[in-house]
Amino acid sequence: MNVSRRSTSSRVSSRVSSRVSATRVALAGGIALSSVVLLSGTAFAHVSVQPQGEAAKGGYATVNIKVPNERDNASTVKLEVNFPLDHPLASVMPQPIPGWKAEVTKSKLSKPLELHGKKINEAVSKVTWTADGSKIGPGQFQQFPLSLGQLPEDTDQLVLKAIQTYDNKEIVRWIEEPKEGADEPQNPAPVLKLSAASGDHHGGGATATTAPSAPASEDAKAGHDDKAGAHEEKAAAASSSSSDTTARILGVIGILVGIAGVAFGVLAGRRRSA
């Protein structure tokens, strides 16, 4: 009888040990999964600038300033985007967004900018969007489209420092310039990469022959208007693309959660069979 009892006790102890080990494995897997999900969310949760189509040197472009809401208990009610005056842009036009008021600020240039044969003494230094009946709530994002031109030809990128304000008065400054070869800073500034200049986008040259008798400045303006309209259509298509990207990210997270669920299901089955 003592031998039988010792054998039974040994089997029970073994089962308990197996359950404890399985529970530890499941908990470790759950913690790892949570870390992956949290880190994935962090990687995408900063203000960024995304060109719609080509952003070529010397040309015009439409871009989206993408602003995610990072807080669970506050909403974004203001966004300020600053433009570098060492590579000035003569034209920055925000697209109207329902529920938001846009204000364009210009500053005088120390060195006049020459555009289409004209000297420009000031350039856009800042665009500010303020909530006017709308806001970016927790778990949401908003895109702020801009038409930019003429893009500089003496740089490969534009750093657009941004300031995000929440309705609880918290301010997040996305102003740290990323350095090549270094880790991404905690609050990176949005960076617009510029591609090589092309004949179709260089200073509106493609439209200059449409009206030979008109002054060059009028031809350039007409080219800018035509391109702005085309870029706005691209912006709408890009918005849909961004939604698809978000859906894919959520799909991956769903798969990871499903795997964790299967692991817990197997563990539960073993407990019942034991």
Side-chain angles (χ1 to χ4, degrees), residues 166-186:
Y166 290 88
D167 56 7
N168 63 356
K169 308 303 181 183
E170 180 185 2
I171 296 176
V172 181
R173 302 178 186 278
W174 303 97
I175 60 174
E176 299 178 59
E177 185 172 349
K179 302 295 183 182
E180 186 175 354
D183 293 337
E184 184 179 67
Q186 183 176 357

